[in-house]
Amino acid sequence: MPAMRRHGICWLLTVAPLILAACEPLYESWGAREGVAIQDAKSFTPPPPAPAELKVMTWNIKFAAARIDFWFDLWGDRVQMQRAEVKANLDALIALVKEVNPDLLLLQEVEINSRRSAYVDMVQAFLDATSLNHAAYFSSWKSRYVASEGLGRVDMGNAILSKFPLVQAERIALVDRSDQDAVTSAFYPHRALGRAVLDLGGRAVTAFVVHTEAYDTDKTKSQQLQQIQAELQVTPAPFVIGGDFNAIPPGSLQVVDFNDEHPDSRGTEFAQPAYDLADMLPFYQTLAPAVSLERYGASLATQRQHFTHSVIGPNTVGALGQPGFWNRTLDYLFANPQSTWRAEASDTLQSPGRLGITTDPLLLSDHCPVVGVWQVHP
């Protein structure tokens, strides 16, 4: 967050009276493991009978900002959204979720009380508009006031939503970056692994949601992924994990110089470090992926079919002179190793037609959803 560092002293002088005058902390800190409250819909849709399989969907929804270009992406200068913008974007996100109709939804970059998204509670919005009756929210960035570009109050994190009751939820802290000054670190996102236990008609199933670090220069992301692996190794089956891992699959043919990287990002905090192809290998070696490495393939043509991320949308021309389109895979679904996924019902929802959807996900977020039908095995 460059502005924070440029104006650190002035900023501290500005907020010092607020610190003294208010009981609410300027930024949140968490313990290693903390319980999370279960949030329910205001009106319930009866859950289906205990299933042998679950349709699981993971999606980074970019705090319902759709294809607005923000200051931190360097392609635009937006900082805040109007409530009408947030509502329209959120309605479109919800429409696609309803079209897919998952039993379990794993969301990243959800906001519940943030100035930039007009203080809309997105978790409650999904609960109220879908048949997903139960939710747990895991905050990863909660600050009363973030000075950078006047961002203001932020409460952003990940969420697990389910048609089936959640009986327990927990926030598991991931290691923080060590390559930042103290002020930046305090007001920066603190990544976490969200864990919830579902009751499938008396059978316990564990679900995890995660969003790891993106711009670290100290291998924080690699350490976080190792932490996640360690947590999964001690989790009883059956379990499923999904989210934005900010790492690309082993065997990926492109690891640097993507079309959506703004030339001005080089030398800044928002320069994209080269991806380490070893980061995701243990997940493929020890777990069951919804999209296998065989399906991902060894050619650019096959790999393109499962790219999930692009900072820019189709109306922005990128650094390589091409309009924005998905250009790398960052989003995944994995389950315990004894599990299987129905290949014909598991896919990367890049565009209309994939798994029969009619909405264009490229217009809704900087990530597209990954959906899988998980055949739950112990």
Side-chain angles (χ1 to χ4, degrees):
M1 297 186 178
M4 191 178 299
R5 284 203 282 271
R6 289 197 303 267
H7 306 298
I9 294 175
C10 292
W11 179 83
L12 285 172
L13 291 174
T14 300
V15 302
L18 296 174
I19 298 173
L20 297 174
C23 295
E24 183 184 357
L26 281 178
Y27 58 87
E28 190 73 26
S29 59
W30 293 274
R33 305 179 83 102
E34 293 192 4
V36 171
I38 307 301
Q39 192 171 342
D40 294 322
K42 294 173 183 175
S43 60
F44 277 69
T45 302
E53 59 184 26
L54 291 176
K55 182 182 283 189
V56 187
M57 178 178 183
T58 182
W59 199 4
N60 181 326
I61 63 169
K62 191 190 172 184
F63 47 92
R67 281 305 178 177
I68 297 172
D69 291 324
F70 276 75
W71 65 274
F72 53 83
D73 292 329
L74 303 179
W75 293 100
D77 58 4
R78 289 290 297 276
V79 179
Q80 316 293 345
M81 292 182 286
Q82 299 298 316
R83 192 175 187 85
E85 291 178 299
V86 177
K87 186 179 185 307
N89 294 338
L90 192 54
D91 286 349
L93 293 166
I94 289 170
L96 181 54
V97 169
K98 292 173 73 172
E99 197 172 7
V100 173
N101 190 26
D103 300 304
L104 180 62
L105 177 62
L106 311 173
L107 294 178
Q108 305 90 57
E109 292 196 12
V110 182
E111 293 192 341
I112 64 170
N113 188 22
S114 297
R115 182 184 176 195
R116 71 177 169 186
S117 55
Y119 305 103
V120 171
D121 185 339
M122 298 180 188
V123 176
Q124 194 64 53
F126 275 95
L127 282 171
D128 292 343
T130 71
S131 58
L132 297 156
N133 292 328
H134 314 279
Y137 172 70
F138 311 91
S139 184
S140 59
W141 191 16
K142 187 174 181 180
S143 297
R144 182 181 175 193
Y145 185 80
V146 175
S148 288
E149 311 301 321
L151 188 58
R153 183 182 289 271
V154 174
D155 193 343
M156 184 182 80
N158 307 322
I160 295 174
L161 294 99
S162 170
K163 290 183 179 178
F164 301 90
L166 302 182
V167 296
Q168 190 263 345
E170 181 182 30
R171 182 190 188 278
I172 304 169
L174 297 177
V175 64
D176 283 331
R177 291 175 62 168
S178 63
D179 55 352
Q180 296 172 319
D181 62 78
V183 172
T184 301
S185 179
F187 289 86
Y188 197 78
H190 299 279
R191 308 289 182 171
L193 179 65
R195 173 183 173 273
V197 179
L198 286 67
D199 179 4
L200 264 64
R203 184 184 190 190
V205 172
T206 304
F208 294 94
V209 63
V210 71
H211 185 191
T212 63
E213 191 52 61
Y215 298 111
D216 55 299
T217 59
D218 61 349
K219 304 294 285 184
T220 296
K221 175 173 60 186
S222 296
Q223 296 176 60
Q224 291 173 348
L225 292 171
Q226 291 166 17
Q227 277 185 272
I228 295 165
Q229 274 281 315
E231 183 68 30
L232 297 179
Q233 288 171 7
V234 298
T235 300
F239 63 80
V240 64
I241 182 171
D244 177 358
F245 287 65
N246 270 318
I248 62 177
S252 294
L253 297 178
Q254 186 173 6
V255 298
V256 294
D257 299 328
F258 295 93
N259 180 54
D260 58 352
E261 291 180 45
H262 198 285
D264 291 347
S265 69
R266 295 179 181 178
T268 75
E269 289 85 346
F270 302 111
Q272 177 61 62
Y275 291 97
D276 186 342
L277 293 181
D279 278 343
M280 292 303 298
L281 186 58
F283 290 88
Y284 285 98
Q285 290 175 330
T286 62
L287 301 172
V291 177
S292 67
L293 282 179
E294 290 74 21
R295 189 171 174 188
Y296 183 63
S299 71
L300 199 54
T302 59
Q303 292 179 5
R304 279 197 189 107
Q305 294 299 307
H306 296 287
F307 289 164
T308 66
H309 174 61
S310 174
V311 173
I312 58 174
N315 296 323
T316 302
V317 176
L320 305 180
Q322 303 163 1
F325 193 73
W326 314 117
N327 59 39
R328 70 198 97 168
T329 298
L330 301 181
D331 306 86
Y332 303 87
L333 287 172
F334 294 98
N336 56 289
Q338 295 82 13
S339 298
T340 53
W341 298 84
R342 283 209 285 122
E344 78 282 3
S346 304
D347 204 359
T348 308
L349 303 191
Q350 292 183 332
S351 57
R354 302 287 281 262
L355 294 185
I357 63 169
T358 59
T359 306
D360 188 353
L362 187 61
L363 304 177
L364 304 185
S365 174
D366 56 355
H367 291 253
C368 71
V370 179
V371 174
V373 173
W374 175 37
Q375 298 179 305
V376 184
H377 300 303

